[in-house]
Amino acid sequence: MLTVLHLSLPVCLQKWKQLSRLQRSLVLFMLVLLFICGMASYPTVTKRLTGKLSCIWRGAMIDTDQATEGTRDGQNKEDRMEAVRDAFRHAWKGYKDYSWGHDELRPVSRSYSEWFGLGLTLIDALDTMWILGLKEEFEEAKQWVATELTFNKNVDVNLFESTIRILGGLLSSYHLSGDSLFLDKARDIGSRLMPAFNTPSKIPYSDVNIGKGTAHPPRWTSDSTVAEVTSIQLEFRELSRITQDPQYQAAVAEVMSQVHKLDGKLDGLVPMFINTNSGQFSHQGIYTLGARADSYYEYLLKQWIQGGRKEDQFLEDYLQAIEGVKKNLLQKSSPNGLVFVGELSHGQFSPKMDHLVCFLPGTLALGAHNGLPADHMDLAKELMQTCYQMYVQMETGLSPEIVHFNMHQGSTRDIEVKPADRHNLLRPETVESLFYLYRFTKDHKYQDWGWEILQSFNKYTKVSSGGYTSINNVRDPDYPSPRDKMESFFLGETLKYLYLLFSEDPDLISLDKYVFNTEAHPLPIWPSPE
Ligand code: DMJ
């Protein structure tokens, strides 16, 4: 073929030279026209081509045909647990090869991104490696913590994110491994975060410079996010208990007692912002269990459990909030009657639900396990079904970030997804809830649902050179469009909860001995004094 082309080229050139300028223009025009028509009549070809081109970047690609390679048939629990270990090893390989010691892997470009510059993924993943029995990987990461990790850095960190991922990860690694290295590091970061509480109201600022010891709100406001200031308590309380230094617990307890007394709640539901000067809620009137409010509810229940179910104020606020959810936010979709948690904005109901809300079935089930009303478990099961549907109804089998439910009679489908909401960030909330539901009911369907989700992650987000990537479009299996980022919570939470979901051992992080922080780091339930 090459030879034919080679021989005929001079002849063609000669003929081309004999043509007039007009003739040449006409030929060129026809060729361009033919090319455009050809491409337009094969949109899938164009899409696949551009898709492949975008997926392939310096050789890294998501190959949906081979991505299931290495997965197991999942017929038994060992198979499924091993498949999670495979997934972790694959993700870890990418992190190790291209972003070791940095915050997040960018698996497609085989590089990394920095958020705080503190090895976020490595710290977030420590206890997952311990739980999955990946001893070699754990030891290697521990060495990095011992020799490379320093918090003496002139860097601004977000109080909430660094508490749940770094402080939580170090405390839990200390409890699981017994190695005092992790406790020393936990105390170091904990004390460096304390300046955040030096505000006129004692409601903490969102950002702290852990090197300079200064703190500030975001540039555009003096507000903090309600979920952020009320979801650091498990970690700071534990730090006080374990170090016998009361300052940490005192600071976060003050926040809870102020929020408990504040005006502006609706049947126990909180607004999304709180002002660090006045200590009052701001931008009132919007109620959601999604972004900016979600883990407030989770930590009410979990603080009550952590402290041995004695601190009644947390329980009362939690029970009132769940009644508030039922009264104001719970609705059923059409045509199939999926129960969902919507949002309220200045009295107006919106059938919008973030994937983040899928923590709720697990939290409700945990409450019921701890003696709260049985109807919490009924609601947990219904919401679990809805969260599962948010996955199976998508073409990739992966949930989008946000869905809208149809409520009017005659709808043909329950779930709608807006173009801007079609991304999937490898989030954990649904598999987290599946884990709780399976632990408490032993109904194998929850394991099967988790298995389907793991397979979809493998099929559409696994990058062949190592790592998993968040994607832009869960509705397009031909081109899910990689975002080139592996969030640290994929290793910290998603894979950990999947592994625990497939385990039949209730003592593998017993829910009667540990309470998981909102980043899936298990912290001990405090023993009652003798
Ligand atoms: C995690 O950092 C935590 O689970 C947090 O509570 C919510 N956002 C991410 C995971 O989606």
Side-chain angles (χ1 to χ4, degrees):
M1 177 69 174
L2 263 182
T3 337
V4 174
L5 273 178
H6 186 71
L7 287 176
S8 54
L9 210 56
V11 182
C12 286
L13 271 175
Q14 208 178 355
K15 294 255 181 225
W16 179 254
K17 279 181 189 159
Q18 288 164 359
L19 296 177
S20 71
R21 188 179 279 180
L22 182 69
Q23 284 170 321
R24 281 189 211 168
S25 306
L26 257 173
V27 171
L28 281 175
F29 177 75
M30 290 303 288
L31 280 174
V32 170
L33 201 68
L34 270 173
F35 179 75
I36 291 172
C37 291
M39 292 303 274
S41 53
Y42 292 102
T44 49
V45 172
T46 323
K47 206 158 82 172
R48 270 174 195 274
L49 189 65
T50 47
K52 287 282 184 208
L53 285 176
S54 314
C55 278
I56 303 167
W57 188 9
R58 288 203 263 145
M61 65 180 295
I62 301 172
D63 187 342
T64 53
D65 302 328
Q66 67 83 57
T68 44
E69 167 223 16
T71 52
R72 297 150 201 277
D73 72 5
Q75 285 313 299
N76 58 55
K77 74 167 173 98
E78 280 80 18
D79 248 21
R80 291 180 175 188
M81 291 171 79
E82 200 46 46
V84 181
R85 267 196 287 256
D86 288 346
F88 187 96
R89 284 192 202 97
H90 185 81
W92 193 245
K93 176 189 168 348
Y95 179 73
K96 227 180 121 173
D97 288 353
Y98 309 117
S99 49
W100 184 248
H102 297 285
D103 282 344
E104 287 141 346
L105 168 67
R106 300 186 65 207
V108 178
S109 53
R110 301 187 192 178
S111 59
Y112 59 83
S113 55
E114 222 61 296
W115 190 5
F116 310 141
L118 297 172
L120 204 58
T121 295
L122 187 148
I123 300 175
D124 222 357
L126 281 165
D127 59 2
T128 305
M129 293 183 256
W130 184 269
I131 291 167
L132 269 58
L134 299 170
K135 294 218 172 75
E136 243 173 66
E137 289 85 348
F138 179 84
E139 286 304 322
E140 202 176 356
K142 190 178 96 180
Q143 272 315 307
W144 184 86
V145 173
T147 57
E148 304 289 330
L149 177 62
T150 172
F151 296 126
N152 190 11
K153 270 188 163 178
N154 178 7
V155 61
D156 275 358
V157 303
N158 174 281
L159 170 69
F160 164 73
E161 298 291 356
S162 51
T163 299
I164 65 169
R165 302 185 198 213
I166 300 176
L167 179 56
L170 291 167
L171 284 171
S172 132
S173 299
Y174 167 65
H175 282 295
L176 295 177
S177 72
D179 194 320
S180 61
L181 162 71
F182 298 118
L183 179 56
D184 295 342
K185 291 288 181 188
R187 194 198 321 249
D188 189 12
I189 185 69
S191 60
R192 287 172 186 275
L193 292 174
M194 289 304 283
F197 296 90
N198 294 334
T199 70
S201 65
K202 304 264 186 302
I203 300 296
Y205 290 133
S206 59
D207 297 281
V208 195
N209 186 304
I210 53 173
K212 290 190 190 157
T214 53
H216 58 89
R219 224 167 278 146
W220 58 91
T221 174
S222 53
D223 289 346
S224 284
T225 296
V226 170
E228 292 196 358
V229 301
T230 56
S231 314
I232 49 179
Q233 279 63 16
L234 291 175
E235 300 80 356
F236 277 88
R237 279 156 54 102
E238 176 57 14
L239 186 60
S240 272
R241 186 185 76 93
I242 205 80
T243 59
Q244 297 288 298
D245 180 347
Q247 61 163 323
Y248 310 110
Q249 176 156 8
V252 294
E254 171 67 20
V255 178
M256 290 313 291
S257 95
Q258 285 195 40
V259 170
H260 171 72
K261 290 184 249 163
L262 281 185
D263 288 336
K265 291 186 201 158
L266 173 72
D267 301 318
L269 304 176
V270 289
M272 297 153 86
F273 296 99
I274 186 164
N275 189 273
T276 51
N277 292 323
S278 67
Q280 302 295 313
F281 289 129
S282 53
H283 301 98
Q284 296 193 36
I286 302 179
Y287 301 97
T288 171
L289 259 78
R292 299 189 184 278
D294 48 0
S295 40
Y296 162 73
Y297 305 100
E298 179 187 350
Y299 270 36
L300 285 176
L301 178 75
K302 288 182 172 178
Q303 285 177 85
W304 178 68
I305 293 172
Q306 179 189 41
R309 302 189 291 202
K310 290 197 229 26
E311 297 151 290
D312 292 340
Q313 195 175 297
F314 296 135
L315 177 62
E316 283 162 22
D317 286 355
Y318 176 74
L319 289 171
Q320 197 199 359
I322 298 305
E323 289 312 306
V325 170
K326 288 192 216 162
K327 183 173 159 196
N328 299 288
L329 303 181
L330 218 56
Q331 286 291 347
K332 278 188 181 174
S333 68
S334 177
N336 292 306
L338 297 175
V339 175
F340 69 93
V341 182
E343 298 185 353
L344 205 61
S345 177
H346 306 286
Q348 188 84 27
F349 181 79
S350 159
K352 161 182 180 274
M353 181 165 145
D354 294 351
H355 181 271
L356 288 169
V357 181
C358 289
F359 81 93
L360 189 58
T363 298
L364 286 167
L366 180 65
H369 175 72
N370 279 277
L372 303 190
D375 72 314
H376 285 206
M377 191 59 172
D378 301 336
L379 180 56
K381 289 178 185 168
E382 289 188 293
L383 290 172
M384 191 75 261
Q385 170 68 245
T386 303
C387 290
Y388 171 59
Q389 289 302 321
M390 286 162 61
Y391 282 72
V392 276
Q393 291 195 17
M394 299 303 123
E395 288 77 353
T396 55
L398 292 172
S399 170
E401 179 73 357
I402 299 170
V403 297
H404 285 77
F405 290 91
N406 277 320
M407 289 175 67
H408 44 271
Q409 297 290 312
S411 311
T412 49
R413 51 184 302 155
D414 294 80
I415 300 178
E416 303 285 353
V417 188
K418 305 208 160 155
D421 303 335
R422 292 180 174 175
H423 48 294
N424 178 296
L425 304 184
L426 313 171
R427 285 197 192 276
E429 290 76 18
T430 294
V431 296
E432 165 185 357
S433 285
L434 287 171
F435 155 65
Y436 285 103
L437 270 282
Y438 181 69
R439 272 277 167 104
F440 300 136
T441 66
K442 293 284 167 235
D443 185 337
H444 289 281
K445 81 176 175 207
Y446 297 122
Q447 289 183 320
D448 295 341
W449 293 356
W451 179 241
E452 285 173 34
I453 291 171
L454 175 61
Q455 286 175 300
S456 298
F457 277 131
N458 273 329
K459 190 159 183 198
Y460 294 107
T461 71
K462 188 174 176 181
V463 178
S464 54
S465 49
Y468 288 73
T469 178
S470 41
I471 55 174
N472 280 314
N473 192 355
V474 297
R475 307 227 61 170
D476 189 346
D478 291 329
Y479 182 45
S481 173
R483 286 166 80 104
D484 196 17
K485 182 155 171 177
M486 184 173 77
E487 302 278 351
S488 80
F489 50 69
F490 184 62
L491 301 191
E493 299 194 66
T494 311
L495 293 179
K496 183 188 289 151
Y497 282 129
L498 279 166
Y499 186 77
L500 292 170
L501 165 66
F502 299 142
S503 164
E504 298 296 347
D505 180 3
D507 290 328
L508 183 59
I509 316 296
S510 160
L511 290 171
D512 298 317
K513 293 192 179 129
Y514 290 95
V515 60
F516 285 90
N517 85 339
T518 193
E519 189 77 5
H521 299 303
L523 300 173
I525 293 174
W526 298 345
S528 324
E530 299 301 305

